[in-house]
Each structure stands twice: as structure tokens, then as C-alpha cells.
Amino acid sequence: MRHLSISSKLFSNNRKKLSARLPGKALSVANANDVLPTNADGSLPLHPNSDLFYLSGIEQEESLLVLFPNAANPKHREILFVREPNEHLKIWEGYKHSKEDAQKISGIQTVYWTTDFENIFQLLAAEAEVFYLNDNEHSRASNEVETRDQRFNEKICSDYPLHKIERLAPHLHELRFCKSAEEIKLIKQAIDVTSRGFRKVLRMVKPGVSEYEIEAEWAKEFIRRRSKFAYTPIVASGENACVLHYLQNDQTCKKGQLLLMDVGACYANYNADLTRTIPVSGKFSRRQKQVYSAVLRVLRQSIENATVGKSLKEWQNDSHDMMTEEMLRLKLITQAEVKKQDPDQPACRKYYMHGLGHSMGLDVHDVCNGQYEFKENSVFTVEPGIYLPEEGFGIRLEDDIQITKNGPVNLMSKIPIEAGEIEEIMNR
Ligand code: GLY
Ligand code: MN
Ligand code: MN
């Protein structure tokens, strides 16, 4: 792995929390992700399964984790299955975990080869009554391609039709929503790498530079710091910034334009999610600065509003109220429009059409089904924006925050955001 090694305590603590939720005679299974095919004999690099990583630190394909907290044999309470290394794999793919390495990474003592899975599982099934099976239950998950978990679940349900099946995902969503100190540390590392990337980019943006050259600058900084892109970066000049999921990054930045960059690093599977909007020529126009300041005010107030117990829906609605005030001042909407607006579709949605933020962690849009309010040590993005295609620009500002019982902590407070500071750095 590119990242430095992580103490197995992080993972054993997570297993402890999950095991405490499993009733007697229940076992849970978490699978690795599939290596996804492309064309011909091609495949994508493995994207580690977040749940398996959360519980074991294991990032190798085909691995499985079984937790059976009340198994009669103490050796069966935590079992990890990994691919057995062989000469062929060694020649073509190189390193695969030995049992000792898998033990060290995960802190799990019982490690078997995956070829032993069926026999061992049959033994466990004879003792267990309930299987907690995993699935991607993110409320916006794409269901087009069957996952390894889903194939596994189908097989288990057909092989053991008389066992009771329960859903593992709701437990993992609840546990993963609040981050441990070790997880916050890794998120901060991803943010630090992102911050370094932004400072590099601030020095090279000027008229004539292309969006892809800017993407390359981010990539260079991320990769040399043991990281990768947390998601496909958005590097959008001018009107492109109004395409919320702009991914082409193929245009040239022009004088007078703004450049919106939504870019985050992923370090050790933990993510950062940053958006900054900067002037291509190093100076905001009067109008650009007016809109920029409006978005920045909404960002700052929304960060302050993110307190333990605050309802996420209310938090979003408060941002609509703030945006409405700002847009009236900017003469983007009228009092008449506000008066007759549908409360579920306020007038400000015309120029601010996305959510205010999302939970973030091992996934950029982290799992959080069933979470309706901020909790202590939940980590959120805050990302208001105003998009004005008819004026040729869009502005979004996005910071990542940690919710604590003493109030929100801005994990990106050191990343330049004041218009004046951005201009000053760009003109140095
Ligand atoms: N980069 C994705 C987002 O901001 O949600
Ligand atoms: Mn983002
Ligand atoms: Mn985001």
C-alpha cells in the first residue's frame, strides 16, 4: 500500500463496536469489492471495500471477514480469509498478504486462505442461527452492476435457506457516521495533502493554462504524497462551473474568468473534499467579488450552524433562508418571487440547486442512512454555491468540518478562502 501503516487498534476497536451489536448466535460477513473489468483483458485498480477496510484494514481483493462474537470456539470470533499467494500470482501481480501480514494489519489472530472458506463457514453455520449480510445500502447507490456482496448473499441464502438473515448495513452506517480520533487524524492527512495541492495550483493558474494542466498539477502533488484523487476532480473555468458534475476538464482558462475546482485527496482510504473558486487572472471583478462574498457568508454561517443535535433538514433550510437574502441583495431574485415561492422549492434553488453538505469519511459521500442530525464527531462538508450561466461563472466554496460538543471545527481553516488572500497569493 502506498500509505504508511496504520495501527491495527483502529480496526479492532471498530470490530469491538460492531460485535457488541450482534446478538447471540449471530455472525456477520463483509466482502472485498470486485476488481472491475474494463475492455478486452483490462481491469480497473481495486477500489477497497470501505466496510471491510473499516473492520480489518484489509485492502486486498477476494478477502472476507467473519465476525461471530459468541462463537463457542474463541478462535472463531474473528476470522479473516485472504487469497493464498502462489508462484503465478507472485510473477504477475507481486505481493499478496501472508497470514502473518494479514494478522499484523488487522489485529485478527485467525487467518485462513479463501479456499478454506466453504468448509469453515459450514462449521460456523451449524452453530449460528442468524447471518448479518452486507450490501451497499447508500440511499443513492447505483444498482446497475451486481456487487461481490450481492453475489455472496445470494449464494448464502440458497445454501442455508433456513437461517435467519439480517441487514448489516444499518449498523455500519450508524457506526461509521461518528469518527474515532484515529479516523479524524487520517482525514486531516487527506486534507493536508489537498491543501498542499491547492497552494501549488494557485501559483500556476493564469490565462492560457488548460483545465487538464491544472488537474495534472493536483495529481502530481497528491501522488507524491502517497495519495490519489478522492473522486474525479472538477476543474471548471467560466461557465463550465455551472455544470455541477463537470468532468471533461478540457478547456483553456481565459482572462477574466473564474475557475471552480472541486478536488480532494484520498489518503489511506480517507477522503478530503474541497472546493475553491479563484480568478484566472488573479483578480476578481467587482461583480464576481460580490457573489463570492455572498457564498462565503453562507458558508461561514452554515459552519457555525452545524452543532450537535441540529437537524440536517433544518440546517439545509437555514441555508435557503440565507441564500434568499443574499440573492435579493444581488438582484438575482425578487421579493415577489420569494412571496409566492413553494416552501419545498424556494426561489433561491434556481441558482443554488444542490445540497448544503454531506457526511464524509471512508466514502466521499459517506454512508449515513437513518442519520437525521449532527452527532459528536460526525464529519461533514459544507458547500454552498451560486451558479450564474448567464453571467458566465459559478461559485462554490466547500470546507470539511468536524462536529464536536464544543461546536464545529473547520478542518480546512488553513486553506486560503478570503478573496483578498487568494488574490495576494496568486500575484506573489
Ligand atoms: N466532490 C463531490 C462533492 O462535493 O460532493
Ligand atoms: Mn466537493
Ligand atoms: Mn462535497
Side-chain angles (χ1 to χ4, degrees):
M1 289 313 132
R2 223 175 246 172
H3 61 82
L4 300 175
S5 65
I6 299 170
S7 160
S8 62
K9 265 254 164 290
L10 166 56
F11 313 114
S12 57
N13 284 337
N14 293 342
R15 288 195 298 277
K16 242 184 242 155
K17 287 186 237 173
L18 177 60
S19 293
R21 285 165 169 257
L22 299 181
K25 305 266 180 199
L27 65 75
S28 71
V29 187
N31 274 283
N33 280 342
D34 279 321
V35 173
L36 296 176
T38 54
N39 291 308
D41 63 350
S43 58
L44 296 171
L46 174 74
H47 192 97
N49 182 281
S50 301
D51 293 325
L52 179 68
F53 182 80
Y54 178 79
L55 296 168
S56 69
I58 293 292
E59 300 166 77
Q60 185 168 286
E61 70 285 350
E62 299 182 17
S63 311
L64 292 117
L65 170 72
V66 177
L67 296 181
F68 190 179
N70 300 306
N73 181 348
K75 285 191 181 152
H76 286 170
R77 291 177 188 165
E78 297 183 339
I79 312 177
L80 187 60
F81 295 86
V82 293
R83 283 179 99 174
E84 182 170 14
N86 59 44
E87 273 311 302
H88 176 84
L89 276 177
K90 197 168 154 190
I91 289 165
W92 288 88
E93 296 186 25
Y95 172 85
K96 298 289 166 191
H97 296 319
S98 65
K99 287 184 179 177
E100 294 71 27
D101 286 353
Q103 280 171 334
K104 206 164 145 218
I105 292 166
S106 64
I108 295 170
Q109 291 317 304
T110 309
V111 180
Y112 292 117
W113 302 130
T114 45
T115 42
D116 295 327
F117 181 80
E118 289 208 8
N119 287 341
I120 306 271
F121 194 79
Q122 193 177 344
L123 203 72
L124 303 175
E127 189 184 341
E129 285 170 3
V130 189
F131 300 152
Y132 278 72
L133 300 182
N134 203 15
D135 198 359
N136 180 355
E137 295 194 20
H138 192 289
S139 52
R140 288 202 307 271
S142 151
N143 290 315
E144 246 167 65
V145 180
E146 192 177 46
T147 64
R148 196 172 182 86
D149 268 327
Q150 288 167 339
R151 275 202 317 280
F152 176 85
N153 296 347
E154 266 172 40
K155 175 157 172 40
I156 292 294
C157 291
S158 129
D159 289 356
Y160 300 95
L162 301 182
H163 279 68
K164 195 170 166 218
I165 303 296
E166 291 282 356
R167 291 156 57 209
L168 183 59
H171 294 280
L172 287 168
H173 283 219
E174 211 176 312
L175 291 175
R176 284 177 50 192
F177 187 63
C178 297
K179 276 67 183 174
S180 63
E182 292 79 7
E183 289 185 285
I184 300 275
K185 233 165 108 181
L186 293 167
I187 291 172
K188 282 181 175 167
Q189 258 172 281
I191 288 173
D192 179 62
V193 173
T194 307
S195 168
R196 290 168 188 275
F198 181 55
R199 285 179 184 277
K200 282 268 155 74
V201 163
L202 272 181
R203 286 196 243 139
M204 55 89 69
V205 170
K206 56 175 189 262
V209 171
S210 59
E211 294 167 351
Y212 51 84
E213 287 174 284
I214 298 166
E215 177 178 336
E217 191 75 7
W218 284 100
K220 181 179 173 202
E221 195 59 22
F222 287 3
I223 294 168
R224 65 192 284 265
R225 295 190 183 279
R226 300 173 177 269
S227 303
K228 60 184 179 184
F229 284 119
Y231 49 88
T232 311
I234 297 172
V235 182
S237 57
E239 204 180 318
N240 299 335
C242 302
V243 179
L244 297 180
H245 290 162
Y246 178 77
L247 303 174
Q248 288 86 340
N249 301 352
D250 61 356
Q251 299 298 303
T252 301
C253 300
K254 295 185 196 71
K255 194 172 150 210
Q257 283 182 329
L258 291 184
L259 175 71
L260 182 154
M261 294 178 288
D262 185 339
V263 185
C266 172
Y267 174 81
N269 298 309
Y270 283 88
N271 297 294
D273 186 0
L274 172 80
T275 307
R276 288 292 184 265
T277 307
I278 66 173
V280 168
S281 343
K283 183 118 185 78
F284 289 93
S285 73
R286 212 174 116 83
R287 174 65 172 171
Q288 288 166 349
K289 202 176 256 181
Q290 278 175 342
V291 181
Y292 190 94
S293 306
V295 176
L296 184 55
R297 277 191 293 272
V298 176
L299 173 82
R300 291 210 161 124
Q301 188 57 51
S302 299
I303 291 175
E304 262 186 53
N305 292 352
T307 50
V308 172
K310 172 88 177 172
S311 125
L312 297 176
K313 180 100 179 71
E314 231 178 86
W315 183 60
Q316 171 87 38
N317 287 344
D318 290 350
S319 81
H320 290 160
D321 294 345
M322 287 185 266
M323 275 297 192
T324 302
E325 291 303 314
E326 296 290 357
M327 286 182 195
L328 284 167
R329 270 200 290 276
L330 292 165
K331 303 211 181 327
L332 290 170
I333 54 175
T334 63
Q335 281 290 2
E337 286 172 308
V338 175
K339 266 207 188 103
K340 63 169 205 288
Q341 75 188 8
D342 168 0
D344 288 332
Q345 206 45 251
C348 68
R349 297 296 273 173
K350 184 171 173 200
Y351 301 108
Y352 165 48
M353 50 297 265
H354 55 71
L356 176 57
H358 51 84
S359 177
M360 190 195 76
L362 278 172
D363 288 294
V364 178
H365 294 176
D366 213 12
V367 291
C368 63
N369 290 8
Q371 304 301 315
Y372 302 108
E373 57 185 51
F374 290 113
K375 287 194 178 147
E376 194 180 352
N377 293 324
S378 53
V379 170
F380 268 78
T381 69
V382 189
E383 48 183 304
I386 296 180
Y387 307 90
L388 307 173
E390 52 288 346
E391 297 189 39
F393 67 90
I395 296 174
R396 176 166 66 254
L397 297 171
E398 177 174 28
D399 276 346
D400 302 340
I401 62 170
Q402 177 189 359
I403 315 301
T404 77
K405 57 176 187 295
N406 300 321
V409 174
N410 188 344
L411 303 174
M412 291 183 155
S413 61
K414 298 236 165 70
I415 304 182
I417 195 163
E418 283 285 350
E421 191 186 0
I422 303 256
E423 288 179 339
E424 192 267 315
I425 299 172
M426 291 183 79
N427 288 294
R428 242 176 235 170

